[in-house]
Amino acid sequence: MTRPEVEVVECDVLILGGGMAGCGAAYEAAYWAKPKNLKVVLVEKGAIERSGAVAMGLSAINCYMGMKWGENQPEDFVRYVRQDLMGLSREDLVYDIARNVDSTVHMFEDWGLPFFKEADGRYKREGRWQVMIHGESYKPIVAEAAKKAVGEDNIYERIFVSHLLNDAKDPGRIAGAVGFSVREPKIYVFKAKTVISAAGGATGVFRPHAIGEGLGRIWYAPWNTGSAYKLMIMAGAEMSQFEHRLVVARFKDGYGPVGMWFLLFKAVLKNAYGELVESKWADLLKEWEPYGSGKPIPTPLRNHQMLRDMMEGKGPHYLRTDEALQKMFADVQHDKKKVREIESDAWEDFLDMTMSQALLWASENIDPAKTPSEVVLTEPYLMGSHASATGAWVSGPEDIAPSEYFWGYNRMTTVRGLFAAGDGVSGSAHKFSSGSYTEGRSAGKAAVAYVYDNPDDPNIDSDRVEDIKNELWRPFSVVDDAKGTSTGDVNPNYVAPKQALHRLQKIMDEYAAGQSAFFITNEPTLLRGLELMELFRQDLHKMAAENLHDLLRCWEVWDRFWCAQTHMQHLLYRQETRWPGYYYRGDYPELDEENWKCFANSRYDAEQNEWTMSKKPYIQVVP
Ligand code: SFD
Ligand code: AMP
């Protein structure tokens, strides 16, 4: 590969990732930036019209209060999230999203997103927090608004951001980022007064169910590789709840979501012998008080019940779509038109969001009204926007954050001028697409305020940039140096990115509580896993790229590697099992409210290659 050309881009606000949070940040930052003519730039590895977790579309907006209809208040939502997360949430952040999310959703409707409506004009509810949309074009609608807000010239697409730049004179402050084009040999150096990390959660860290040709058929977006986290970890930002992860029940092999089936269609989960999993294992919940008896049953505890049933050998487990739909048909007296509508909603759920599930049903001759469908638990994902809370430790909003959670600007990390949003922020689960966008808006507004208060130019260390350039292109020189020693993928002198990915997924699956280990680990297992990770790291410098696509894959492996390392450090640190069904510490199998009802935080020191772990208090904000 030829040596890359370098382009330097200077701006005030730099947004990394044009997904839900990134588009929200762009929309809001552009508004507040106008009075002083500040420049807002957004960088995206794909094309924002169809990038990120919402690329395929969605069939519901899972975070909407409905305050104008008196449906819910922000306080209700905080209590719900607290219960689902088994006690541990940053209630200031959750409240902040809840109080603003409705206005975001109303904007989406103004921009043309079609909603299912009730006769009185309300959004049709799937569940208490979820509203139904015809959402195949959700992402193009949201992206268009972001483009209009910041101007197309300020959107840099097909650029993979790989490094953050700390200020040369003040390393505790952010100065910009570096990325490379996935279309031409070109490196971009972005010099910025403030940066918002909104580059999504991490999939592919653990070995999934489908391997080989099916490798990418997972539930969460396969192209989200944990960049939001890796960038912040390497820049020295404090991370929180990085031991947390999401493991969810999904339709087997197609990975279609189950929410609409549980909540709207009232389908139930039964084992192969017709036993109702939830009631059969109701007593299990008593071991997890005070959360076990709360409502709803926390997502990890629902998993825990299913896992116990699996270990008793009672699978396969089925979501009884057949029973649920037949009951609904009977309720409408088998009126043909109404039956058709119910069937069409059921199929649209997948056609809007996870087409593979609809295709799988068609190819397996499954009519959901006649045949139940298998459900499995996924491999773990690292993300902060679903029933999960992995991410950066950020400052809360000044009017509600307790002093322990406040250091100046809403959603600013512990690195000055570096903000996070969406999957990137920890402790504020259940924000989903609408909450992530809302959080992006908050971060965008606060980032502009930061620039108003800190107008001085950042200082870029040119030696550091030179080092990064060489590091980025290393996978090409590895191939050049190894030319002629062998052919194809198998070469004694290098590792193909896919081989590296498989090796990472195997270590994580076996040592860090993956699905084949039934989500169990302990200290000796984790320590052995960390040894293997260290050996793996040495080999990773031998990753090889023949073209720009390979280069992208190499750097995606590095993202996942750093997420994996940090995840393991956190698993090791928290000496309890707080979220059974997500993971179990075999050596600390119980909840320990006295010692561990707190946040576990980490900071990585890249120069020393050391993690510093600490506890941060949980403070109840909402009674
Ligand atoms: O029910 C770089 N989600 C759902 N949310 C809902 O509100 N309703 C639903 O129905 C949802 N369902 C669902 C969902 C997701 C998926 C995949 C399915 C079903 C199949 C969750 C939301 O989508 C999710 O919470 C938000 O999208 C999170 O927002 P954000 O902004 O944190 O992540 P993103 O949208 O994926 O955007 C990240 C962007 O960063 C880019 N990127 N750019 C530059 N350089 C790099 N190195 C980069 N790395 C990544 C990405 O390309 C992307 O654009 S249900 O099943 O839960
Ligand atoms: P999912 O389709 O599983 O991603 O879930 C969509 C929404 O429904 C999320 O807000 C989930 O928390 C919620 N949900 C899914 N299954 C259940 C369930 N069995 N009980 C309560 N809430 C659920």
Side-chain angles (χ1 to χ4, degrees):
M1 181 60 60
T2 48
R3 291 298 296 164
E5 184 194 324
V6 178
E7 183 174 331
V8 178
V9 178
E10 296 197 17
C11 61
D12 296 291
V13 180
L14 177 66
I15 300 165
L16 307 180
M20 290 309 289
C23 286
Y27 179 79
E28 193 75 22
Y31 176 83
W32 297 101
K34 244 184 215 128
K36 287 206 180 171
N37 211 15
L38 301 181
K39 185 172 172 178
V40 181
V41 161
L42 186 154
V43 195
E44 162 62 45
K45 82 190 245 190
I48 69 168
E49 193 182 3
R50 283 283 174 192
S51 70
V54 184
M56 263 195 279
L58 295 178
S59 60
I61 285 182
N62 284 343
C63 183
Y64 177 71
M65 302 300 112
M67 282 187 272
K68 81 169 175 179
W69 305 101
E71 292 174 322
N72 294 292
Q73 292 306 317
E75 289 80 0
D76 303 323
F77 185 67
V78 173
R79 289 183 204 109
Y80 161 68
V81 177
R82 180 194 299 154
Q83 161 68 8
D84 198 57
L85 273 283
M86 300 189 69
L88 278 185
S89 273
R90 274 284 302 275
E91 298 188 2
D92 56 327
L93 302 179
V94 179
Y95 185 91
D96 194 32
I97 288 174
R99 67 177 165 180
N100 292 315
V101 73
D102 284 11
S103 77
T104 290
V105 175
H106 299 156
M107 286 196 320
F108 293 163
E109 189 181 10
D110 287 348
W111 297 338
L113 181 65
F115 285 69
F116 287 69
K117 292 272 182 79
E118 301 288 0
D120 63 0
R122 292 171 194 234
Y123 298 143
K124 186 172 173 190
R125 284 261 175 214
E126 175 182 309
R128 183 169 179 189
W129 312 106
Q130 303 83 358
V131 294
M132 292 162 65
I133 54 172
H134 300 282
E136 188 277 336
S137 297
Y138 191 2
K139 190 65 207 297
I141 290 168
V142 165
E144 188 185 1
K147 278 187 187 165
K148 277 198 173 142
V150 298
E152 298 229 16
D153 290 351
N154 290 320
I155 304 223
Y156 290 75
E157 296 184 319
R158 313 269 182 215
I159 291 160
F160 181 83
V161 179
S162 57
H163 293 76
L164 286 181
L165 296 169
N166 295 53
D167 192 277
K169 295 193 181 141
D170 177 2
R173 178 189 162 199
I174 205 69
V178 180
F180 62 89
S181 164
V182 298
R183 288 285 191 268
E184 54 184 336
K186 192 165 175 184
I187 286 177
Y188 286 82
V189 178
F190 296 95
K191 202 172 157 187
K193 290 177 188 153
T194 175
V195 175
I196 302 174
S197 179
T203 61
V205 173
F206 285 81
R207 184 162 50 196
H209 286 276
I211 51 168
E213 287 182 354
L215 191 65
R217 182 81 306 271
I218 54 179
W219 165 69
Y220 208 48
W223 39 84
N224 279 3
T225 57
S227 296
Y229 305 136
K230 194 285 289 282
L231 293 166
M232 296 191 284
I233 292 167
M234 303 309 276
E238 204 164 310
M239 306 307 281
S240 185
Q241 294 203 299
F242 227 84
E243 69 281 18
H244 207 255
R245 70 249 306 258
L246 182 71
V247 173
V248 260
R250 287 290 175 260
F251 285 108
K252 186 167 182 295
D253 296 334
Y255 297 98
V258 296
M260 191 178 281
W261 286 94
F262 273 124
L263 302 177
L264 182 76
F265 298 129
K266 311 276 183 261
V268 292
L269 185 73
K270 288 185 178 171
N271 65 25
Y273 301 90
E275 294 170 310
L276 205 61
V277 176
E278 191 180 314
S279 46
K280 178 180 172 187
W281 295 104
D283 276 357
L284 266 189
L285 303 181
K286 293 185 185 145
E287 294 164 20
W288 302 95
E289 295 297 14
Y291 314 107
S293 56
K295 286 281 171 258
I297 302 172
T299 309
L301 285 182
R302 291 201 306 269
N303 292 355
H304 180 55
Q305 292 177 312
M306 188 175 160
L307 270 167
R308 279 298 287 272
D309 209 53
M310 280 164 65
M311 283 157 123
E312 224 191 33
K314 296 294 163 67
H317 290 87
Y318 293 101
L319 201 60
R320 297 307 301 248
T321 59
D322 52 338
E323 294 173 356
L325 288 182
Q326 291 304 335
K327 178 167 183 312
M328 288 179 89
F329 296 166
D331 288 348
V332 296
Q333 272 112 38
H334 295 277
D335 176 299
K336 275 209 174 100
K337 190 162 169 268
K338 288 187 178 141
V339 165
R340 196 81 199 99
E341 271 170 26
I342 295 168
E343 280 181 338
S344 135
D345 288 355
W347 283 90
E348 186 180 339
D349 181 28
F350 297 131
L351 292 170
D352 277 351
M353 172 166 70
T354 313
M355 275 89 80
S356 54
Q357 189 62 52
L359 294 173
L360 193 74
W361 274 357
S363 65
E364 291 186 348
N365 300 327
I366 289 178
D367 174 352
K370 296 188 182 132
T371 320
S373 278
E374 274 184 76
V375 167
V376 289
L377 293 176
T378 63
E379 78 280 12
Y381 306 113
L382 305 180
M383 52 186 293
S385 66
H386 198 284
S388 52
T390 316
W393 181 245
V394 297
S395 175
E398 67 179 326
D399 59 337
I400 41 174
S403 57
E404 290 85 343
Y405 298 163
F406 181 72
W407 50 95
Y409 298 88
N410 199 0
R411 268 61 179 190
M412 189 170 83
T413 68
T414 54
V415 173
R416 269 172 295 121
L418 175 62
F419 292 75
D423 275 333
V425 170
S426 102
S428 58
H430 287 280
K431 54 193 141 188
F432 291 95
S433 61
S434 46
S436 296
Y437 190 95
T438 305
E439 194 167 53
R441 289 175 67 191
S442 299
K445 182 177 176 185
V448 172
Y450 174 89
V451 177
Y452 276 31
D453 296 344
N454 300 274
D456 43 322
D457 277 334
N459 305 291
I460 302 279
D461 177 350
S462 49
D463 290 346
R464 167 91 180 119
V465 172
E466 205 46 41
D467 287 349
I468 293 174
K469 271 164 51 189
N470 292 331
E471 207 182 320
L472 278 178
W473 243 238
R474 189 206 325 246
F476 291 127
S477 33
V478 169
V479 171
D480 288 344
D481 294 348
K483 278 243 158 72
T485 51
S486 183
T487 55
D489 278 351
V490 182
N491 192 304
N493 298 309
Y494 63 70
V495 188
K498 199 160 200 176
Q499 293 169 326
L501 181 67
H502 287 313
R503 184 160 155 197
L504 173 72
Q505 292 181 344
K506 180 166 155 53
I507 296 172
M508 294 306 286
D509 187 43
E510 294 173 351
Y511 295 89
Q515 37 142 343
S516 75
F518 282 94
F519 309 106
I520 304 170
T521 188
N522 62 12
E523 183 175 311
T525 308
L526 284 165
L527 290 175
R528 175 68 187 136
L530 282 165
E531 276 172 18
L532 293 172
M533 287 288 272
E534 188 47 41
L535 295 172
F536 179 47
R537 183 198 339 208
Q538 292 165 18
D539 290 345
L540 275 182
H541 294 286
K542 289 274 181 182
M543 260 194 301
E546 304 232 22
N547 51 45
L548 286 166
H549 183 73
D550 285 352
L551 190 69
L552 172 72
R553 292 288 181 249
C554 291
W555 284 100
E556 289 179 339
V557 171
W558 276 115
D559 276 2
R560 290 172 162 131
F561 171 81
W562 287 109
C563 288
Q565 280 268 21
T566 310
H567 186 53
M568 284 170 111
Q569 295 291 348
H570 275 247
L571 289 173
L572 196 57
Y573 184 63
R574 181 177 283 280
Q575 295 179 330
E576 68 159 353
T577 296
R578 177 155 293 262
W579 304 282
Y582 281 178
Y583 77 88
Y584 305 82
R585 278 286 303 252
D587 42 357
Y588 298 98
E590 284 161 15
L591 195 69
D592 179 354
E593 289 278 274
E594 201 182 317
N595 295 304
W596 288 101
K597 192 167 181 190
C598 60
F599 297 100
N601 282 19
S602 68
R603 186 181 175 278
Y604 179 64
D605 180 335
E607 269 176 32
Q608 304 297 324
N609 186 29
E610 266 174 18
W611 271 270
T612 308
M613 309 299 299
S614 61
K615 288 183 178 182
K616 288 283 179 316
Y618 158 74
I619 299 167
Q620 185 169 337
V621 173
V622 168

